[in-house]
Structures are given as structure tokens and as C-alpha cells.
Amino acid sequence: MGYADELFDLTDRVVMVTGGSRGLGREMAFAAAQCGADAIIASRKYESCVATAEEIAAATGRTAFPYQVHVGRWDELDGLVDAAYERFGKVDVLINNAGMSPLYESLGSVTEKLFDAVVNLNLKGPFRLSTLVGERMVADGGGSIINVSSSGSRRPRPEQLPYSAAKAGLNALTEGLALAFGPTVRVNTLMPGPFLTDISKAWDIPATTKGAQHFALKRLGNPPEIIGAALFLASDASSYTTGSIIRCDGGIP
Ligand SMILES: NC(=O)c1ccc[n+]([C@@H]2O[C@H](COP(=O)([O-])OP(=O)(O)OC[C@H]3O[C@@H](n4cnc5c(N)ncnc54)[C@H](OP(=O)(O)O)[C@@H]3O)[C@@H](O)[C@H]2O)c1
């Protein structure tokens, strides 16, 4: 093993990724398995979880466990955690990645249903899952929780206001949970800017690309570019980092 391989090694660790079937979650789950971890791939569409889990297992030789769950539903999260501990006996890394930001016409057109759905998935679910897993991690002697937030939480835009507010809540959750679960368990926020995942299919790409010209890197992110920051937070490479926000956004001013 080279020096960096050891620093970022995840051999025999168990990494749970919500929204692990597609997009940034899939990238992070794949990368964790490449570094030696077994992965739990959790999202709403079971077939997608199975397909991604099979690809990960075939490419890395690690175990990947698909699980169907709606992260915005409090009562479904106990089942996910129980299944993970039954299958692997532990979770070393929890990546609260599942998230979404539905489009709406105007602020006045935002319904209570839309608002609740956004908060449930981006904030309530991660709270419940972090508390369920975090307490077990403390009892087991260690772990790392990564909350995937958004640059929108720092620079809220009118067209994504419920989402930005929920992600800002997630940033707050990170700091509080780091205190609650420290010194045993580390909790950090990974804050992406705009990445070209399925989410971006709803965007006006020329306009968004033009908007990115004021970023330091003057472009949108490609999904694999999330991996380095995720592996840093998942592994012992970040052993003195907790309660923090790691931006991965091309340098949004
Ligand atoms: N891409 C960006 O530009 C960007 C920017 C800032 C922040 N982020 C954040 O990064 C995270 C990942 O985004 P992404 O771009 O990778 O999204 P994506 O490509 O749309 O993938 C979303 C993933 O979450 C799952 N998911 C969606 N709703 C779910 C639910 N209710 N319960 C469980 N799983 C659910 C999806 O699978 P199913 O459909 O099978 O459920 C899928 O695996 C999100 O938290 C997002 O807010 C993304």
C-alpha cells in the first residue's frame, strides 16, 4: 500500500449511503468500495439499488447491500438501520446524501405538501438516521457521519428557498451532532455546488454554465469530482476534522 492508500483506507468498514443508487451518492459508494469498504445502497427504487450494488460488487469484490427506503419517512428509517446491523453488525460511515429540490413557479405557489416533502427528505430524515446510527457508533467506539448539504444553504436563491432552508438546517445539525457524538464519532458537512447529475436535467444548462463563469473554476462539477472530499471525510485522513463544512463547489465567491 502506498502512503495515500493507507491514509484513505476503508478496508472492511461499512459505509451506508442514502441516495446511493445514482448521482453523487453512487460515486461516493463506489469510491468507498474501491478503498475496501462494504456498502449499503439505500434509495426509493429497489431495482436501482440492486443494479448499482451489483455493479459495485462486480467491480470491487466488496459486498454491496441494496435497501429500499424513503428517507423522508421517519418510520422507515429504523428498518434501514436494523437491516444494516443485521447484515454487517456495524456501520462505520453514514453518508446522508439523498436529497431533492423540486421546481415551483413562484414562492406563492409552494404548497405545504411540497415544503414538507423537501424538509422531510433534506433535514428530518438525516436527523433521525444520524441519531439512530450515531448512538450505535458511539457504543461501538467510532464512526463518521457525512451530511451532504448544498451551496444553496449559504447563498439561498428564491427558486430553491425551502431546499436552501432545509440544507441550512442540515449544516446546523452537523455542528450539534458533532458535539453530541464527540469525541467518539465525527460529523461533517460536505457542501457541493452545482454538479452535472440527474438533478441538472431540470436546469437551463447554458444559463447555469454562464452563471458558473463567476466561480473560481468557471465551470460546473462532474460527479466523480465529489470523491476526494468524500473519502477524506469518510476515512481516518480527517481524524481531527469534525463539525466542519467542506466545500466542493468550484470556488463560488
Ligand atoms: N447535483 C447538484 O448540483 C447538487 C448541488 C448541491 C447539493 N446537492 C446534493 O447532493 C445530494 C445528491 O444529489 P444528486 O445530484 O446526486 O441527486 P440525484 O442524481 O437526483 O440522485 C438522488 C439520489 O437520492 C435518491 N432519493 C431521492 N429521493 C429519495 C428519498 N425520498 N428517499 C431515498 N432516496 C431518495 C435517488 O434514488 P431514488 O430515486 O431511487 O429514490 C438517488 O439515488 C443531494 O442531497 C443534493 O441536494 C446536489
Side-chain angles (χ1 to χ4, degrees):
M1 258 195 197
Y3 180 73
D5 296 324
E6 274 183 36
L7 196 59
F8 290 86
D9 184 34
L10 295 174
T11 299
D12 294 333
R13 302 216 186 157
V14 177
V15 178
M16 176 187 285
V17 188
T18 67
S21 61
R22 292 189 277 122
L24 303 183
R26 183 182 191 280
E27 296 291 337
M28 293 187 279
F30 232 108
Q34 296 283 14
C35 291
D38 294 328
I40 297 147
I41 310 297
S43 86
R44 290 166 303 179
K45 298 187 190 95
Y46 185 64
E47 307 75 41
S48 306
C49 295
V50 170
T52 297
E54 285 177 354
E55 280 180 61
I56 290 175
T60 66
R62 300 302 311 188
T63 302
F65 177 63
Y67 191 90
Q68 180 176 29
V69 67
H70 188 307
V71 170
R73 295 182 185 152
W74 187 281
D75 290 343
E76 290 190 19
L77 300 175
D78 290 86
L80 167 61
V81 175
D82 288 347
Y85 278 83
E86 199 171 299
R87 178 67 183 78
F88 296 105
K90 63 171 184 168
V91 173
D92 298 292
V93 179
L94 165 64
I95 307 184
N96 282 310
N97 165 77
M100 56 113 185
S101 173
L103 300 174
Y104 49 82
E105 291 282 313
S106 64
L107 287 170
S109 73
V110 172
T111 60
E112 184 177 12
K113 188 177 173 203
L114 183 149
F115 191 94
D116 287 349
V118 168
V119 171
N120 287 349
L121 177 57
N122 293 287
L123 180 59
K124 189 174 82 175
F127 171 82
R128 178 63 176 161
L129 205 45
S130 297
T131 54
L132 287 173
V133 174
E135 287 179 356
R136 295 204 203 196
M137 285 175 164
V138 169
D140 291 344
S144 169
I145 297 175
I146 302 170
N147 291 322
V148 180
S149 176
S150 167
S151 52
S153 67
R154 285 284 177 82
R155 293 166 187 81
R157 294 207 317 265
E159 63 272 22
Q160 292 191 328
L161 207 43
Y163 171 79
S164 298
K167 291 293 198 187
L170 189 60
N171 300 345
L173 209 60
T174 290
E175 288 191 41
L177 291 175
L179 288 171
F181 296 145
T184 319
V185 173
R186 298 180 298 102
V187 187
N188 289 288
T189 291
L190 176 52
M191 186 180 283
F195 273 81
L196 292 163
T197 62
D198 286 351
I199 278 185
S200 70
K201 288 176 184 162
W203 301 345
D204 177 344
I205 292 290
T208 314
T209 304
K210 196 173 166 205
Q213 292 309 304
H214 73 285
F215 297 3
L217 295 184
K218 298 188 186 299
R219 64 177 177 86
L220 307 174
N222 295 309
E225 295 183 297
I226 200 71
I227 290 172
L231 290 179
F232 169 67
L233 292 176
S235 68
D236 296 345
S238 59
S239 57
Y240 197 54
T241 301
T242 194
S244 77
I245 292 175
I246 304 288
R247 288 172 44 189
C248 188
D249 62 5
I252 298 177

